[in-house]
Structures are given as C-alpha cells and as structure tokens.
Amino acid sequence: MQLLLAAKSCVNVVDGEKKTPLMHFVQGGKGEAEVLQLLLEANSDTAAVDGEKRTSLHQLLDQRHGPKQQECVQLLQTSKSDVNALDSKFLTPLHYAAAAVVPEAGVVQLLLEAKGDATFLSAKLQTRLEEQGVDLT
C-alpha cells in the first residue's frame, strides 16, 4: 500500500460498482487501522458513495471486524465521515452498527458522540441497544 501511495496512485478512483479503494479496503473485513490511516492521509474521500449510496462508514459497519472496528470507526469519524449519511434504503451507519448480530456498544457510542441521530432507528433497534446499556440520549 505504501508503494502505491508513494507512486501517487489515485486513491479516489471508482470501479464499475462505484467503489473507491477505501470502500474496498473497509469492506474486505481486515480492519487494519494502520492501512486505513494511510488511505485517509492520502486524502481518500470519505463522503464518496457507491451504487447503493453507501459511504465507507456504512461499508465498514456492514462487516464484522472484531476489536479493531472501533478504532477504524474513530479514524473515519475523525476524517469527517458523515455519521448520518443515508444509503439507498434510507439507513444510516448507526443502523448498520445497531443491527449487528452483537452490536458493539463502543462503536455505537462513538457514532452517537459524533451526533449520530438515534431518532432514525426503529423502536426495535433502540430497545435492543438500551438492553445492552447504550445511552441513546
């Protein structure tokens, strides 16, 4: 990755699915924060959307990354990712985080602290998070 970035590779090129290298990276499920940091430092566009209007933050939260997911969410959030961006199904990144088989409370809390709008969540998802001790206020 460092060699490609050093060679001034275009980090915002899109493929046939309208996905950028950043989107492919977070969707790959490895959750390596160091590589994500390199892509962000190379000015990857965190606001870019794919054919389903999903941002890289949507795609990251649609995958199960384990303990590094929270660190990656924090990096994207710091890079001004829109935590309330709506995809083609009118779902925000917070929906993806809340709908995980086992929602990561730390990830959900990060999104809420970044002004993620919990009012977009269904009552079922809100109840599920509250049962896990997440403060939605």
Side-chain angles (χ1 to χ4, degrees), residues 12-25:
N12 292 312
V13 66
V14 293
D15 63 13
E17 298 177 318
K18 297 186 178 178
K19 291 184 179 177
T20 64
L22 177 61
M23 292 175 184
H24 281 289
F25 174 74

Side-chain angles (χ1 to χ4, degrees), residues 68-133:
K68 291 193 174 193
Q69 187 181 43
Q70 186 170 341
E71 186 178 359
C72 290
V73 168
Q74 193 162 19
L75 285 171
L76 286 171
Q77 175 191 333
T78 303
S79 296
K80 306 293 186 224
S81 288
D82 183 359
V83 297
N84 290 311
L86 296 172
D87 69 8
S88 62
K89 295 177 184 174
F90 301 101
L91 300 175
T92 66
L94 186 55
H95 281 99
Y96 285 79
V101 175
V102 180
E104 306 241 358
V107 169
V108 171
Q109 200 60 50
L110 275 175
L111 295 170
L112 291 170
E113 289 170 4
K115 307 293 185 225
D117 191 348
T119 62
F120 283 130
L121 297 177
S122 67
K124 181 180 177 181
L125 286 177
Q126 288 181 15
T127 301
R128 189 169 178 224
L129 291 174
E130 287 167 350
E131 286 172 353
Q132 293 203 359

